Amino acid sequence: TLELELGEDGSLRGSARAALTGEAAAAIRREVSDEDPATWDRWAQQWLDDRSGPKVRLRNAAIAGSPDSAVALQAEVQWKDVATASAGRMQVDLAGLCPARFGPDLPSGDRRSPVLLKDRLVERYRVVVTLPAGSHVESLPPPHGYQTSVGSWKTSWQADGSRLVVEREVRLDRAEYDPQDYDSLRELLRALDRADHAAAIVETAP
């Protein structure tokens, strides 16, 4: 969940909360098992940078409980290149806010070996953007969704008073996909990438 404020210059600042479970949580636990907790801020920044993640200043990292428990992260976040301001309008792009992933750029062609992922994926993402005083949402992308035998995703945009709310859910139901499922998986991710490049238009105060 991201709670952000949109500045008049198009910058976004706010806070983020995330909870990771399953293999994603276990992988982080393995990576920080030998780290001094005092260095977790630096480690998390490097982890995001290595994955082309957003510019984040980590406020608190809580990694506690049994190895099967969720990893909870909190961060102060800042983006300078998500919203573009010009001529009384701002364009807020979803692609710049989305978590990094292995992407839609799976090559075309026959696949002879399985596609191996780290784990099954259920990713729920919510962004709440408070608009500058006197601004309002001028246009929103329509809701989108895609569902196949290999997984699904859906996105929605809403104007809620002085706030812009974006929700996105991605599901990949398997950690291993047979070669005959490759084309379906590739098209699922390509369609998600196209939806992620949608944008909202905000009209700013004169």
Side-chain angles (χ1 to χ4, degrees), residues 40-104:
W40 283 352
D41 287 6
R42 187 176 63 212
W43 172 87
Q45 182 69 63
Q46 187 64 51
W47 186 85
L48 286 166
D49 290 345
D50 289 346
R51 290 158 177 79
S52 302
K55 181 179 179 181
V56 171
R57 295 196 316 272
L58 195 69
R59 184 178 63 206
N60 183 38
I63 304 176
S66 70
D68 294 329
S69 66
V71 170
L73 299 174
Q74 293 183 354
E76 294 178 357
V77 293
Q78 176 182 357
W79 284 267
K80 293 183 178 180
D81 55 355
V82 175
T84 304
S86 65
R89 286 178 172 79
M90 282 190 278
Q91 177 174 303
V92 182
D93 296 305
L94 178 58
L97 291 169
C98 287
R101 55 182 185 279
F102 61 89

Side-chain angles (χ1 to χ4, degrees), residues 80-139:
K80 293 183 178 180
D81 55 355
V82 175
T84 304
S86 65
R89 286 178 172 79
M90 282 190 278
Q91 177 174 303
V92 182
D93 296 305
L94 178 58
L97 291 169
C98 287
R101 55 182 185 279
F102 61 89
D105 50 350
L106 297 174
S108 60
D110 293 335
R111 179 86 183 193
R112 300 188 179 185
S113 59
V115 178
L116 302 178
L117 308 180
K118 291 183 178 180
D119 197 7
R120 292 179 296 175
L121 173 70
V122 179
E123 178 185 273
R124 297 183 180 93
Y125 199 62
R126 188 171 190 264
V127 183
V128 180
V129 178
T130 299
L131 305 179
S135 302
H136 67 274
V137 174
E138 181 179 285
S139 65

Side-chain angles (χ1 to χ4, degrees), residues 22-35 43 63 67 71 118-119:
E23 179 56 30
I28 287 181
R29 289 183 187 283
R30 288 193 295 268
E31 289 193 43
V32 302
S33 61
D34 296 328
E35 295 280 345
W43 172 87
I63 304 176
V71 170
K118 291 183 178 180
D119 197 7

